[in-house]
Amino acid sequence: NAGVMQNPRHLVRRRGQEARLRCSPMKGHSHVYWYRQLPEEGLKFMVYLQKENIIDESGMPKERFSAEFPKEGPSILRIQQVVRGDSAAYFCASSPGNEQFFGPGTRLTVL
Amino acid sequence: KQEVTQIPAALSVPEGENLVLNCSFTDSAIYNLQWFRQDPGKGLTSLLLIQSSQREQTSGRLNASLDKSSGRSTLYIAASQPGDSATYLCAVRTQAGTALIFGKGTTLSVSS
């Protein structure tokens, strides 16, 4: 059983561009969580999804950020019109319902 | 609002020492608590998960305890090795199906 997969591992964008981060959960896991780790900060929750549904998006900025977890395919975190403050490591975790298993993260750098 | 604090922020020890990392949380009504390890530039590796009804969990040289009433958990590492050098994160879950709330971590350095 492969672990949680995230791609790309590193992403560089210029201000104003769009960033798409992908997360493939572990087989059999229907819960996906996205977290963000800013430099010198702890991990902060962004959004929690189950297949085709957003369960909790209380940690996600209201503008420019969106997330989906379609019936088929990976979960996607989308950041529109990126700004330098979006530079961070974005981690995805999947869960069968209890323990969370984390992917290696995507490190986004905004120039 | 649940807050998680980890002390110390950094710790340096010589190889072979036993050590304790501390985690405290402000609201004792938790569902479970998880300890993770994060290596520089890498993802998180789950070390131990303690359910709210449990007092401790053990895996190899690691032992984690949970005292809900006092809002504390400790991670005990026996006979530390240089390979244990990493950042250790504590995270709590307040209810089933909710996200984890993380502390900022303790960065451990074990010298040979």
Side-chain angles (χ1 to χ4, degrees):
Chain A
N1 190 359
V4 179
M5 311 273 284
Q6 287 189 252
N7 67 80
R9 295 290 305 277
H10 300 273
L11 182 62
V12 179
R13 286 286 179 265
R14 296 192 181 279
R15 280 178 296 169
Q17 291 184 319
E18 178 179 289
R20 282 188 178 234
L21 288 61
R22 294 175 186 78
C23 169
S24 296
M26 291 176 69
K27 188 176 181 181
H29 290 192
S30 60
H31 305 255
V32 166
Y33 301 79
W34 285 92
Y35 295 84
R36 177 166 66 173
Q37 187 173 39
L38 291 165
E40 307 304 321
E41 295 283 329
L43 276 90
K44 302 291 186 187
F45 164 72
M46 298 183 74
V47 61
Y48 163 37
L49 311 101
Q50 292 186 24
K51 280 289 186 182
E52 300 185 273
N53 292 304
I54 296 175
I55 306 301
D56 181 359
E57 56 182 349
S58 60
M60 199 152 69
K62 294 287 186 287
E63 297 179 353
R64 301 188 298 109
F65 286 72
S66 62
E68 63 178 10
F69 189 14
K71 186 176 181 181
E72 301 291 338
S75 174
I76 305 238
L77 179 67
R78 182 183 178 202
I79 311 172
Q80 296 178 291
Q81 300 175 332
V82 296
V83 300
R84 288 214 173 111
D86 296 332
S87 294
Y90 292 82
F91 291 96
C92 162
S94 75
S95 172
N98 193 12
E99 189 172 0
Q100 294 187 22
F101 298 86
F102 280 74
T106 293
R107 278 150 185 84
L108 172 65
T109 301
V110 180
L111 301 178
Chain B
K1 180 187 172 186
Q2 179 73 271
E3 292 184 1
V4 179
T5 303
Q6 292 186 247
I7 294 173
L11 181 64
S12 293
V13 300
E15 183 176 7
E17 273 205 8
N18 302 323
L19 56 99
V20 173
L21 306 181
N22 297 294
C23 172
S24 61
F25 44 95
T26 53
D27 188 342
S28 61
I30 65 169
Y31 179 72
N32 61 31
L33 182 145
Q34 214 167 336
W35 281 94
F36 295 89
R37 167 186 174 138
Q38 184 176 28
D39 292 282
K42 301 290 179 63
L44 280 69
T45 301
S46 180
L47 298 174
L48 291 163
L49 171 72
I50 310 178
Q51 299 293 352
S52 61
S53 58
Q54 297 174 320
R55 298 281 297 184
E56 65 178 341
Q57 283 285 351
T58 298
S59 176
R61 295 183 294 109
L62 305 180
N63 175 275
S65 67
L66 174 64
D67 183 343
K68 272 180 41 176
S69 61
S70 66
R72 293 183 184 181
S73 175
T74 61
L75 179 66
Y76 175 82
I77 302 177
S80 57
Q81 303 170 358
D84 294 330
S85 298
T87 296
Y88 291 81
L89 298 168
C90 167
V92 301
R93 203 172 192 184
T94 54
Q95 298 177 40
T98 59
L100 291 166
I101 301 169
F102 282 85
K104 290 189 177 182
T106 294
T107 298
L108 172 66
S109 176
V110 181
S111 56
S112 55

